[in-house]
């Protein structure tokens, strides 16, 4: 996942996400590096009814992201997610991030596995853990994310089984960056989120992307935190 806000070249963010999807920037302990199961994006678009537009594609980012036209979008807020599913039963458009509930203006992107949160929703088993995690962390009808309450929800997730609650929860006026590594997580480098800040731009990414900034200019975000990032509305 990558989130950029401020003054940036959209094409640079798109190219960076393709590199992440291909595994070019992978530096972690997981046994895989590629994310071939589709991608999605959310960006500020004042011509859209809510001020946000979204795009989803089920083919691999290296095949379709550069050809999508997203790189030519002019915006000051952009979030992109590339996906590697953990189950063959969750491949397709309905499983592609960003997730969105009907009649609500929240978008949700998740990196990790949360197979136990269905218990809080009264479900007998997990069908699509990211959607269940979305419903648990940002309940239907939520106007804004209370960070203390959200952190308490995260602390209450049953263990073992989950590994990461890393997510972007985005609504027209702000985005929330959730950096949560579960106590039983065995891939701390894979689930570390990183930030680079310049005078005009802030980028948060699940991997260090040297093409966007030298490695020494990236700082790991503290785990078990939630950041609120305002989205301009003019």
């Amino acid at each position: 996942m990558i989130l950029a806000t401020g003054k940036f070249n959209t094409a640079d963010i798109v190219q960076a996400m393709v590199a992440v999807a291909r595994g070019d920037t992978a530096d972690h302990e997981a046994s895989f590096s590629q994310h071939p199961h589709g991608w999605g994006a959310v960006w500020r678009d004042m011509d859209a009814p809510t001020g946000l537009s979204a795009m989803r594609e089920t083919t691999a980012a290296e095949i379709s992201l550069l050809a999508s036209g997203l790189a030519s979008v002019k915006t000051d807020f952009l979030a992109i997610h590339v996906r590697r599913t953990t189950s063959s039963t969750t491949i397709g458009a309905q499983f592609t991030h960003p997730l969105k509930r009907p009649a609500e203006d929240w978008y949700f992107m998740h990196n990790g596995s949360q197979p136990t949160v269905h218990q809080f929703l009264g479900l007998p088993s997990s069908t699509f853990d990211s959607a269940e995690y979305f419903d648990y962390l940002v309940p239907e009808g939520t106007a804004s994310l209370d960070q203390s309450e959200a952190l308490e929800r995260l602390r209450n997730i049953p263990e073992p089984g989950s590994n990461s609650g890393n997510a972007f929860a985005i609504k027209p006026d702000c985005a929330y960056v959730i950096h949560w590594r579960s106590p039983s997580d065995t891939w701390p480098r894979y689930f570390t989120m990183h930030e680079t800040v310049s005078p005009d731009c802030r980028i948060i990414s699940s991997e260090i992307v040297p093409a966007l900034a030298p490695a020494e200019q990236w700082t790991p975000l503290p785990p078990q935190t939630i950041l609120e990032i305002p989205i301009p509305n003019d």
Side-chain angles (χ1 to χ4, degrees):
M1 299 189 296
I2 291 180
L3 181 152
T5 183
K7 295 181 180 179
F8 55 86
N9 186 336
T10 304
D12 292 342
I13 307 300
V14 168
Q15 290 277 8
M17 201 76 265
V18 171
V20 171
R22 286 195 306 244
D24 298 350
T25 59
D27 181 19
H28 51 71
E29 63 279 86
S31 59
F32 57 84
S33 59
Q34 297 180 336
H35 294 71
H37 300 128
W39 59 272
V42 178
W43 65 95
R44 188 174 88 98
D45 178 0
M46 291 310 295
D47 292 330
T50 67
L52 294 175
S53 283
M55 184 182 294
R56 299 175 185 84
E57 175 58 58
T58 58
T59 57
E62 66 176 309
I63 296 172
S64 59
L65 182 49
L66 292 175
S68 69
L70 182 62
S72 63
V73 168
K74 304 297 182 184
T75 186
D76 51 14
F77 175 86
L78 172 66
I80 310 178
H81 176 278
V82 293
R83 188 165 186 251
R84 182 185 180 89
T85 183
T86 56
S87 171
S88 61
T89 64
T90 57
I91 295 177
Q94 69 269 40
F95 303 108
T96 304
H97 304 217
L99 308 180
K100 187 178 186 297
R101 289 188 292 253
E104 289 200 339
D105 56 9
W106 284 98
Y107 291 92
F108 193 76
M109 301 174 170
H110 172 221
N111 178 25
S113 178
Q114 290 290 348
T116 62
V117 296
H118 70 277
Q119 300 173 32
F120 295 105
L121 306 176
L123 301 174
S125 61
S126 176
T127 301
F128 179 28
D129 67 295
S130 290
E132 293 149 7
Y133 177 47
F134 179 19
D135 288 342
Y136 172 65
L137 189 64
V138 188
E140 189 172 348
T142 298
S144 61
L145 199 64
D146 182 288
Q147 296 178 48
S148 296
E149 180 179 325
L151 288 169
E152 182 63 21
R153 286 178 176 269
L154 289 162
R155 286 190 288 267
N156 288 336
I157 293 175
E159 295 283 344
S162 61
N163 53 26
S164 167
N166 288 352
F168 298 151
I170 303 164
K171 60 194 302 287
D173 61 346
C174 67
Y176 298 91
V177 175
I178 297 97
H179 184 20
W180 181 267
R181 293 209 303 265
S182 304
S184 58
D185 170 39
T186 58
W187 294 346
R189 291 207 319 278
Y190 179 79
F191 288 117
T192 295
M193 300 183 78
H194 309 268
E195 178 180 46
T196 183
V197 180
S198 68
D200 296 324
C201 178
R202 183 182 191 182
I203 300 173
I204 296 173
S205 174
S206 55
E207 293 183 6
I208 291 173
V209 184
L212 295 177
E216 63 271 15
Q217 293 181 16
W218 291 88
T219 302
L221 291 179
Q224 325 310 60
T225 59
I226 298 177
L227 304 177
E228 181 176 345
I229 299 176
I231 296 177
N233 57 11
D234 55 4

